[in-house]
Amino acid sequence: MKIGFIGLGHMGAPMALNLLKAGHTVSVFDLSSSAMETLAQAGARNAVSPKDAATGAEVVVTMLPAAAHVRSVLTADDGVFAGCGDSATIIDSSTIDPTTARDMARMAEDRGLTFVDAPVSGGTGGAQAGTLTFMVGGTTEQYEHVVPVLKGMGKNIVHCGGVGTGQVAKICNNLVLGITMAGTAEAMALGESLGIDPQVLAGIMNTSTGRSWSSETYNPYPGVVSTAPSSRGYTGGFGTDLMLKDLGLAADAAKSAKRPAFMGAIAQQLYQTASSRGLGGLDFSSVIALYRDGASVAK
Ligand code: NAD
């Protein structure tokens, strides 16, 4: 299949590589020339604009930081809508608000195109291994149409409901993730200050009721999980500023639904403080630095 892929960051680059490995013909576009170069070496065609990447593509995947990027990449004069031929399908895997996803779907439909939201969970490890979970919002027919493409990048492809519901699922998941990571960081740092070996503490949590993905797979304490960003200076994972964005999406959604989101609000303040202290570009598990006495993230 001919696929256009836009957004070759921590997640998008390995996802596009997996589409190439699955035998698709892939045209890529990113603002970063080094990201483009990596994909070109793996066999992708470098496009000069989102429009160019979308030209001739049956499916276009976008993996961009936030809603404003998705809106501009799709709707600009040199954007995806301008390049798509009749009946192309656009899959947006970025984490954005459901309202923008529904707007994009309406605009796509007006042009005879299809738009589905398909945000992911599984982190950069899942993106590399091709084991992501995709949360798809669209009609049953649209969902069935995109499954074969998404299977090249993920393991669990879940139909959440109509367009926008993939983003609803993702926002609710990341609300829990932001809270559990902050809680795990708080507990790990407290344990350290009270004199227990962090490795022993994590082992107890992971065989007890404190266990979560944040404690087991992605523990924020350096050295506890060798493959976690905390063990490589908090690089190459899910940025603090991206978590801050997602908790902002959850807060906005809670406000519009007139529902409380107490824990999310506290977690949002923690990541905002972390960001203001220079941790915005590092993995969100670096929030633990707020709890550790005089700790730099490298400690
Ligand atoms: P990233 O910042 O590493 O990558 C974003 C990429 O988009 C960058 O390469 C950037 O150059 C590119 N970009 C920005 N504006 C562009 C434009 N106008 N045209 C073309 N390219 C443009 O982000 P990421 O970690 O890959 O995350 C991407 C999305 O996936 C975000 O919405 C994030 O919330 C979500 N997400 C990330 C993770 C993770 O673990 N990193 C996990 C799940 C979901």
Side-chain angles (χ1 to χ4, degrees):
M1 193 177 270
K2 286 187 177 166
I3 298 178
F5 200 109
I6 300 152
L8 305 170
H10 290 114
M11 297 293 288
M15 289 164 69
L17 283 170
N18 281 333
L19 288 176
L20 284 167
K21 280 187 209 150
H24 298 291
T25 303
V26 186
S27 287
V28 295
F29 180 72
D30 194 289
L31 300 177
S32 153
S33 50
S34 66
M36 294 270 276
E37 181 53 35
T38 305
L39 265 292
Q41 279 171 15
R45 182 182 80 87
N46 276 182
V48 297
S49 65
K51 178 181 176 182
D52 184 26
T55 302
E58 297 155 86
V59 168
V60 178
V61 183
T62 48
M63 192 54 174
L64 296 158
H69 306 86
V70 174
R71 199 175 274 279
S72 87
V73 161
L74 263 52
T75 64
D77 288 347
D78 66 348
V80 170
F81 287 154
C84 278
D86 284 350
S87 76
T89 297
I90 300 156
I91 304 173
D92 179 39
S93 288
S94 327
T95 304
I96 65 169
D97 60 287
T99 305
T100 300
R102 289 172 182 143
D103 277 358
M104 293 302 104
R106 256 190 305 275
M107 291 179 76
E109 201 178 347
D110 288 347
R111 290 162 172 78
L113 307 170
T114 298
F115 173 98
V116 299
D117 51 314
V120 302
S121 76
T124 48
Q128 281 155 17
T131 56
L132 291 169
T133 293
F134 283 89
M135 300 159 232
V136 183
T139 64
T140 302
E141 195 187 357
Q142 290 166 347
Y143 164 74
E144 282 166 1
H145 182 61
V146 299
V147 165
V149 176
L150 299 182
K151 278 274 179 197
M153 303 180 282
K155 205 163 73 177
N156 303 311
I157 320 295
V158 183
H159 188 201
C160 298
V163 69
T165 56
Q167 297 295 354
V168 171
K170 175 66 187 172
I171 288 170
C172 292
N173 179 75
N174 276 23
L175 174 61
V176 180
L177 174 63
I179 294 166
T180 59
M181 180 56 78
T184 305
E186 193 165 298
M188 290 299 300
L190 177 63
E192 176 192 33
S193 71
L194 296 176
I196 192 169
D197 178 343
Q199 196 76 51
V200 173
L201 177 57
I204 295 292
M205 280 182 187
N206 292 333
T207 50
S208 305
T209 44
R211 174 173 168 236
S212 69
W213 185 84
S214 299
S215 68
E216 192 170 45
T217 305
Y218 220 77
N219 197 292
Y221 197 96
V224 168
V225 176
S226 64
T227 50
S230 54
S231 297
R232 50 172 191 266
Y234 299 94
T235 58
F238 178 48
T240 298
D241 281 345
L242 288 178
M243 175 51 84
L244 192 51
K245 174 203 63 163
D246 290 357
L247 290 171
L249 293 174
D252 290 347
K255 191 174 168 191
S256 69
K258 296 191 167 50
R259 296 281 161 175
F262 302 114
M263 305 297 290
I266 294 171
Q268 195 179 2
Q269 289 299 314
L270 280 165
Y271 294 105
Q272 193 160 301
T273 306
S275 183
S276 73
R277 295 194 188 169
L279 306 178
L282 294 179
D283 183 75
F284 77 117
S285 61
S286 64
V287 71
I288 197 173
L290 299 186
Y291 292 100
R292 296 179 69 206
D293 282 344
S296 79
V297 289
K299 185 174 161 189

